Amino acid sequence: CFAIGTKDGFKIFDSNTGRLCYERDIGAFSIVEMLFCSSLLAIVGAGEQPSLSPRRLCLFNTTSGAALRDLNFLTSILAVRLNRRRLVVLLQEKSYIYDLNSLAILDTIDTVPNPKGLCAFSPSLDGCFLALPASTTRGSVLVYNVMELHSHCEIDAHRSPLAAIVLSSNGMYIATASEQGTIVRVYLVSEASKSYSFRRGTYPSMIYSLSFGPCEQLPDILVATSSSGSVHVFSLGFALNQRTRRSTGFLGSMIPHTINDALDPAYHHVLHSAVPAGIKSYVGIRKVDKVTDASTTEACRAIISLITYNGYFLEYSLSINHQDESSWSLQREFNLLTAISDNPIST
């Protein structure tokens, strides 16, 4: 499922069918965060009345239609993340860590000014990390262990301030992009070491979102959306195989991997004009299938979903063959704001 906030309320959709399965028209909401695919929502309003204050976090049960608990803050809430044990609330210069069950506050992190609420969160209990900007002038990332309540490492990823960060769901990898938007880098969290550097393009572009494919170990692909309206896909698995082959050659032994990867446009697949240029979008990778049948040239198939901030849902299928050649097809597209629920909720 996925949830959206609108000027009228919030909606929950089934991502498999596109069906609107829940809605509440009770005023404007800026944040609607689901606990996996459960009935628990963390919602933050965008109105002037007290019940919709941007400084008030409400834990809401969609089954009962009732608020369970409220948390109030001195400044506006910019982001919320949660798993079955932790609740994270981001303000502009502080982040609060709560025990989700008791709502006891466990720790407070003082941060650099973060007006966009930029953060990344890995919900796995075994590798539960929170990533936050560590500088306003450079692309440094603070990685914090949310379960053990201590700072894990700091990664100096870019020369320019961060524009987007994402952690893989298991907390093993973190990807970053700066406001320059030309290079996307991937780091191994446990060692704070760089694993990949991908060139998105030559000219600057604002990266709106990054997303790893679902994985148990190494993610297969990393996807980015940008202000140009394009979707960029980087094949991590293919890059790993090619890097191993290249390193055995004479040139590969002389050029450092990090430099070679940053300049090499391979392993990069672009869908131009996927959404209108300048329209902010969020990307998610719903499914990745590796193709092992020897009778086909396909190596990987992925289902990639986009939600645009002007209210549209788009789903693309991407096929990548063993030569790292790709093809795209649009599977579904619909307007999120005009969708009608099969069982509308009375308000």
Side-chain angles (χ1 to χ4, degrees), residues 28-183:
F29 284 88
S30 60
I31 296 174
V32 184
E33 192 79 12
M34 297 182 69
L35 175 61
F36 301 114
C37 191
S38 73
S39 60
L40 181 65
L41 297 179
I43 54 178
V44 178
E48 296 180 357
Q49 55 269 53
S51 63
L52 296 174
S53 169
R55 299 183 299 276
R56 175 178 178 263
L57 170 67
C58 174
L59 295 178
F60 185 86
N61 188 312
T62 58
T63 301
S64 64
L68 302 176
R69 184 78 180 271
D70 293 338
L71 293 172
N72 294 286
F73 300 87
L74 295 177
T75 60
S76 294
I77 301 165
L78 302 180
V80 177
R81 300 290 186 268
L82 67 165
N83 64 11
R84 300 191 189 281
R85 296 274 302 279
R86 295 290 186 261
L87 169 67
V88 179
V89 182
L90 268 69
L91 309 185
Q92 180 163 311
E93 296 185 2
K94 287 184 181 294
S95 296
Y96 295 93
I97 314 297
Y98 292 87
D99 179 277
L100 182 63
N101 296 312
S102 66
L103 289 188
I105 188 165
L106 302 175
D107 201 1
T108 302
I109 308 170
D110 292 320
T111 64
V112 300
N114 184 16
K116 296 180 181 179
L118 187 62
C119 68
F121 184 71
S122 54
S124 169
L125 296 181
D126 295 325
C128 187
F129 295 103
L130 174 69
L132 300 165
S135 171
T136 58
T137 58
R138 294 180 61 84
S140 298
V141 188
L142 169 68
V143 181
Y144 180 90
N145 189 314
V146 176
M147 297 305 298
E148 298 179 9
L149 303 174
H150 63 78
S151 175
H152 174 74
C153 67
E154 187 170 317
I155 298 171
D156 192 19
H158 303 270
R159 295 178 182 176
S160 302
L162 294 169
I165 48 178
V166 68
L167 283 153
S168 60
S169 59
N170 58 11
M172 290 184 65
Y173 289 88
I174 185 170
T176 64
S178 74
E179 292 180 352
Q180 193 74 9
T182 54
I183 301 292

